[in-house]
Amino acid sequence: MAYVITQRCCNDASCVPECPVDCIRPTPEQPEFATTEQLYIDPDTCIDCGACVDACPVEAIFSEDDLTASLARFRDINASYFERHPLESNFDPLVTPSRPPKELGTLRVAIVGAGPAACYAADELLRRADVEVEMFDRLPTPWGLVRAGVAPDHPGTKSVSAMFESAFRRDTLQYRLNVEVGKHISHDELLGHHHAVIYAVGASTDRRLDVPGEDLAGSHSATEFVAWYNGHPDYAERSFDLSGERVVIVGNGNVALDVARVLTLPADELAKTDIADHALEALRNSNVREVVVLGRRGPLQAAYTSSEFLALGHLKGVDVVIDPAELELDPHSQALFDDPQIEPSLKLKYELAQEYAAETPNPENKRIVFRYLASPTEITGDDKVEALEFVHNELVEEDGRVVARASDRTEALSASMVLRSIGYKGRPVQDLPFDDRGGVVPNEHGRVVADGAHVTGVYVSGWIKRGPRGVIGSNRVDATETVEQVLEDFTAGKLAAPEGDRAALEALLSERQPDAIGREGWKAIDAAEKGAGKSAGRPRVKFTTIDDLLKAARG
């Protein structure tokens, strides 16, 4: 019997060092780690000790004997990875990371942001040094996209926040929530109270389609829709027209699949989750019967992961519909699929599409329809969305890359709502240099760079550092790299000693933002939401306005 890593793997690699026989791959040191869909356990080497289960922050690892029907296929998915990448165990002794000398005193670090990138950075600092960490966020709640971005029907993925809660119990870390950097405290004031400042502010805007009609009523970004159904205070008052039978999502990454599931799942299923009450009510009254997911390239190049694509086949009352004609491969894609060295996850992605295409839909079910090789050209309607026009693409090779190029074939789909899900983009951070094209703060391994030189004491981590790619756990390796630069600079005496201490910071914030929320305030919010959820048979019932969050924080 072996253990199996399944769909909700977060890729943070917490399990890797816990395995006594070194049978989990890829590891953060391997080049394929940056692009892997998930981690895998070699069934021939696993000794069934269960150490990885306890280390997994999102409960993604199961004994093969305990796999449910929806997860059973992951037994073969794990094994296939090692057929392509035979295990070469490495039993070199683990190197204990160095700590700054005690005589340097306490390192004070401000972290701007409270999402996964910020939390992994804080966790690494707490483990590696004698520190005082101040975690700032403009919202009254921590966890960033774990709270406001993860789909409500993926509660296991959200359980990573429990790991952070456990690590942050000590007073060495203080929450500074409902405090906006640039409004209540400046960048220079942060530096005046800390040796270093780490910006982990994510990528908070979305990319646009840049087609006519994009600003019609009923045309939105998936970012807005996700924030709305997750109860983000900035979006709680938004409304979305669910009166029509068809919604089109442009883009086919995992966020697009999240949105498609939320739009088609039975309301009674969503009622068991922490979805925002206003969204649940709207979805109960929704007329949406079909969601079309539009991708500009072919089925082999689709942006979703095979594990999330596989999970769609187990939704209650929902059919996944693909026209077999959509799966005809161009010569380059066919050669890629036929290559014996193809990555198993990529091959599975196409095989799953073939399986869906072979099934006969139930006319009583809702539908998620996948269309490939299609790019929008215009959103049409008099005063609101009525249809999406698109062009059929062809894959061609240019300069050694396979790219999508428009053909002369066009088509139109009637729709009452169009959601674009084509990626996030970072926005400029006040007082920091910014790369508009990449949507990131220029940096070298996390050290912020301006005019070719490191900006003393200023660092970045997460999407604002590397761009919007990877999953929650990808931030762990990224944060470790950034923290390594902070500790190296501190040890080398490159960081100026702060003029103000924690007490001075407290006094400043009390004056500037009397509604700042600390640990006790967040605990009160958390307890109140969970208490309301318990009586309703749900994980929690979220407060979705700043006023309600502040009232809960005050008890």
Side-chain angles (χ1 to χ4, degrees):
M1 184 177 70
Y3 280 87
V4 178
I5 300 180
T6 64
Q7 174 192 344
R8 66 175 70 134
C9 177
C10 72
N11 285 26
D12 90 341
S14 295
C15 55
V16 172
E18 300 302 318
C19 178
V21 292
D22 191 36
C23 70
I24 303 176
R25 292 293 183 275
T27 66
E29 295 77 25
Q30 295 179 298
E32 55 266 34
F33 181 83
T35 57
T36 190
E37 287 191 349
Q38 64 166 84
L39 305 187
Y40 307 88
I41 294 174
D42 180 19
D44 294 332
T45 308
C46 178
I47 59 172
D48 189 29
C49 69
C52 56
V53 177
D54 295 334
C56 179
V58 293
E59 302 173 0
I61 305 177
F62 297 85
S63 163
E64 61 180 334
D65 289 345
D66 295 332
L67 293 172
T68 61
S70 64
L71 299 178
R73 198 161 181 168
F74 282 92
R75 181 189 296 108
D76 295 332
I77 291 172
N78 278 245
S80 294
Y81 179 84
F82 291 96
E83 292 173 7
R84 170 67 179 83
H85 301 279
L87 181 68
E88 294 181 5
S89 294
N90 177 13
F91 293 108
D92 293 339
L94 294 174
V95 178
T96 302
S98 60
R99 295 175 62 90
K102 287 187 176 181
E103 55 266 26
L104 292 178
T106 300
L107 170 65
R108 282 188 47 76
V109 180
I111 299 179
V112 182
C119 291
Y120 277 118
D123 182 48
E124 185 72 8
L125 283 165
L126 293 170
R127 292 190 300 106
R128 294 280 307 276
D130 177 12
V131 292
E132 288 181 349
V133 177
E134 315 290 338
M135 183 175 286
F136 293 82
D137 198 281
R138 70 179 185 85
L139 293 179
T141 56
W143 317 142
L145 285 181
V146 174
R147 178 180 170 95
V150 174
D153 64 330
H154 279 16
T157 304
K158 300 187 180 193
S159 61
V160 68
S161 61
M163 179 183 75
F164 298 140
E165 287 276 23
S166 178
F168 299 164
R169 287 175 180 170
R170 294 176 289 161
D171 288 341
T172 47
L173 180 140
Q174 292 293 333
Y175 296 106
R176 309 294 182 183
L177 306 174
N178 203 37
V179 176
E180 185 172 349
V181 174
K183 177 180 179 181
H184 300 120
I185 187 170
S186 70
H187 170 73
D188 287 341
E189 287 171 331
L190 284 179
L191 284 173
H193 289 81
H194 305 87
H195 292 89
V197 181
I198 299 174
Y199 285 87
V201 293
S204 56
T205 60
D206 58 273
R207 298 185 182 277
R208 290 178 59 83
L209 297 173
D210 293 327
V211 299
E214 186 170 10
D215 294 319
L216 279 171
S219 172
H220 310 274
S221 73
T223 306
E224 296 170 321
F225 190 69
V226 169
W228 171 75
Y229 67 60
N230 273 318
H232 191 297
D234 290 351
Y235 297 89
E237 300 302 319
R238 299 287 181 93
S239 61
F240 295 87
D241 182 5
L242 303 178
S243 62
E245 292 196 355
R246 178 185 287 146
V247 171
V248 177
I249 304 174
V250 180
N252 61 10
N254 283 350
V255 172
L257 269 57
D258 286 347
V259 172
R261 288 197 319 277
V262 168
L263 283 167
T264 54
L265 277 171
D268 288 345
E269 290 294 312
L270 291 172
K272 302 172 186 176
T273 74
D274 68 352
I275 190 170
D277 282 348
H278 58 253
L280 180 60
E281 181 64 21
L283 290 163
R284 280 195 188 279
N285 297 304
S286 169
N287 291 326
V288 175
R289 300 287 305 168
E290 178 177 286
V291 177
V292 179
V293 180
L294 218 64
R296 67 184 177 89
R297 297 191 293 172
L300 270 180
Q301 295 82 20
Y304 50 71
T305 59
S306 58
S307 58
E308 290 295 329
F309 194 40
L310 169 62
L312 294 181
H314 297 276
L315 299 181
K316 295 179 180 179
V318 181
D319 287 326
V320 179
V321 178
I322 302 176
D323 186 333
E326 295 276 337
L327 302 182
E328 294 178 7
L329 298 178
D330 63 281
H332 174 85
S333 298
Q334 188 66 58
L336 177 62
F337 183 73
D338 293 338
D339 186 344
Q341 297 301 308
I342 186 174
E343 282 295 326
S345 59
L346 188 58
K347 185 176 183 181
L348 175 63
K349 193 181 291 187
Y350 185 72
E351 291 174 341
L352 288 169
Q354 290 178 309
E355 292 172 16
Y356 291 139
E359 295 177 359
T360 302
N362 181 341
E364 299 298 317
N365 285 350
K366 294 183 180 180
R367 299 152 52 102
I368 300 176
V369 181
F370 285 85
R371 301 290 303 270
Y372 302 100
L373 292 170
S375 292
T377 55
E378 185 173 1
I379 299 172
T380 61
D382 290 334
D383 55 359
K384 65 178 183 177
V385 170
E386 295 176 11
L388 175 80
E389 296 181 358
F390 64 92
V391 63
H392 290 268
N393 295 327
E394 297 173 346
L395 293 183
V396 297
E397 190 168 345
E398 293 183 359
D399 300 324
R401 297 187 306 119
V402 176
V403 297
R405 286 287 176 261
S407 70
D408 56 2
R409 291 195 303 130
T410 61
E411 192 176 334
L413 278 171
S414 62
S416 60
M417 185 164 69
V418 173
L419 299 172
R420 63 184 182 274
S421 182
I422 55 175
Y424 295 90
K425 187 177 181 181
R427 62 173 57 180
V429 179
Q430 186 174 331
D431 298 319
L432 266 62
F434 192 71
D435 175 1
D436 283 305
R437 184 174 181 181
V440 297
V441 172
N443 69 94
E444 291 181 357
H445 307 294
R447 289 185 176 104
V448 172
V449 174
D451 300 323
H454 295 153
V455 180
T456 302
V458 186
Y459 307 82
V460 285
S461 189
W463 282 0
I464 199 65
K465 169 186 174 183
R466 69 180 188 275
R469 59 183 182 273
V471 293
I472 287 173
S474 307
N475 292 293
R476 180 172 185 167
V477 173
D478 189 60
T480 299
E481 179 186 60
T482 295
V483 168
E484 189 64 44
Q485 314 310 310
V486 175
L487 298 183
E488 183 179 302
D489 290 347
F490 180 57
T491 302
K494 295 180 180 180
L495 303 182
E499 298 173 3
D501 57 11
R502 177 170 276 178
L505 179 68
E506 291 267 11
L508 177 65
L509 293 179
S510 295
E511 178 185 341
R512 300 274 185 81
Q513 172 54 319
D515 288 328
I517 293 174
R519 184 188 313 278
E520 294 306 312
W522 161 239
K523 285 172 66 176
I525 294 171
D526 191 40
E529 289 186 339
K530 287 178 177 176
K534 186 175 182 180
S535 62
R538 304 171 61 186
R540 68 172 66 231
V541 174
K542 291 178 179 175
F543 298 111
T544 60
T545 69
I546 298 297
D547 285 346
D548 286 344
L549 286 162
L550 291 178
K551 289 176 184 176
R554 298 179 186 125

